[in-house]
Amino acid sequence: MVQLSWLMALSGVIFVIWVAGFIIRRNILVMFMSIELMLNAVNLAFISLGSRLGTMDGQAIVFFVMTVAAAEAAVGLAIIISIFRSRETVHADDLTLLRW
Amino acid sequence: MPPVVFWFLATLSIVAALGVVVQRNPVHSLLALVLTLISIAVLFIGQDAVVVGFLQVIVYAGAIMVLFLFVIWLLNLPMETGSTGRLAIKFLGTIAVVALLAELETFSMPAQLQIKFSATHAAGYGSIETLAETLFSQYLIAFEVTSVLLLVAVVGAVALARRSTTVEVQERAEQLAGREKAA
């Protein structure tokens, strides 16, 4: 039998790995991937707790999180493409000017 | 889910997640990411969340990752050379991340949550029927709002990613001029 605490610990570890990815990497695309996957680590906690409580609420929330993540990915990647068109870079440290 | 399966998937997902962070080549990052997503999806299925697990594979590891791959190839990103960031940011970031991990593992443990847990599931738990019942009764308004959100997101993405209209008009004019010359 898998302990609930193991699952919660795994979810926490994966979450902070991607927080580290967001802080350390300077490539906008990798930072954006990290944001997407923080959501996924939290989904694991939702599913685990919902499974132990025997309710479907956790799964319903995960369903919504996935939908919103898909929408966010589409908009975020569109923004990255339009930034790349005007600045020709995806390095976050080169994108310090608000006006061009 | 037997503990052996859990430990295997946990190791796989942590190693792949670290791979995403340390890879220089964006495509390699993305492949490590797909591995992580699929192992998390199997963890979902192992806890009787079958529909959500398959949705995770189809939507996340399928659609969203292909979108990322398209963008990486569209922008023709080179492999990163040199350092991936500033040393000070890495140092402070590592400290902050370790602190966050300690906090999460202290406060999110089930012993802290004061809830009575049981692992017995009613018949049909996690099936598509029960998920649909939950979504279309308790969460109906949220579901409808989500559909509007998706529509807005798609329109917004198209509006953001297309070239400005003046550039298009110029290009079309050039194309027409070229055709007339050819004729």
Side-chain angles (χ1 to χ4, degrees), chain A residues 9 25 27 37 40 51-52 85, chain B residues 21 23 33 80 118 121 161:
Chain A
R25 292 299 295 270
N27 181 331
L37 285 137
N40 213 269
S51 161
R52 287 300 184 284
R85 276 206 188 117
Chain B
V21 178
Q23 291 285 358
L33 203 104
E80 285 177 45
S118 68
H121 290 161

Side-chain angles (χ1 to χ4, degrees), chain B residues 52-115:
Chain B
V52 178
F54 279 106
L55 275 181
Q56 156 111 334
V57 173
I58 295 165
V59 173
Y60 254 114
I64 294 181
M65 290 310 117
V66 167
L67 203 61
F68 270 101
L69 202 57
F70 266 128
V71 170
I72 289 172
W73 284 336
L74 187 74
L75 303 185
N76 201 1
L77 290 182
M79 210 164 128
E80 285 177 45
T81 49
S83 76
T84 48
R86 294 183 186 160
L87 202 62
I89 291 180
K90 280 184 185 174
F91 181 68
L92 293 172
T94 310
I95 292 173
V97 160
V98 170
L100 179 65
L101 181 63
E103 184 197 358
L104 281 177
E105 303 307 357
T106 309
F107 293 111
S108 72
M109 282 296 124
Q112 295 274 340
L113 296 174
Q114 313 275 336
I115 309 172

